């Protein structure tokens, strides 16, 4: 009977240990999501600037070619 109680206590202890720190992990996950979204926005802004610069160069080249 002692072994059964000891085994149950060990299972409960492992269950509590595996569920710990979910609040801290959730906060870190939110911070990571915001950081990734900011990075994506920065890359998209740079790509838009590059596309606009290429359009300007193409328009200038068209004027010179005429």
């Amino acid at each position: 009977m002692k072994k059964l109680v000891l085994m149950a206590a060990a299972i409960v202890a492992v269950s509590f240990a595996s569920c710990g720190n979910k609040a801290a992990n959730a906060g870190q996950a939110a911070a990571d999501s915001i950081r990734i979204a900011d990075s994506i926005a920065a890359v998209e802004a740079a790509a838009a600037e590059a596309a606009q610069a290429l359009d300007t160069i193409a328009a200038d080249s068209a004027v010179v070619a005429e």
Side-chain angles (χ1 to χ4, degrees):
M1 189 69 174
K2 278 186 178 180
K3 290 182 183 180
L4 193 58
V5 172
L6 203 70
M7 184 65 90
I11 291 172
V12 169
V14 169
S15 297
F16 280 127
S18 67
C19 296
N21 285 338
K22 286 201 176 189
N25 291 342
Q28 183 63 36
D32 288 345
S33 296
I34 292 169
R35 181 182 51 82
I36 290 169
D38 289 345
S39 297
I40 291 171
V43 168
E44 288 174 347
E49 269 185 42
Q52 187 176 9
L54 287 175
D55 289 344
T56 303
I57 292 170
D60 290 343
S61 297
V63 170
V64 172
E66 290 178 358

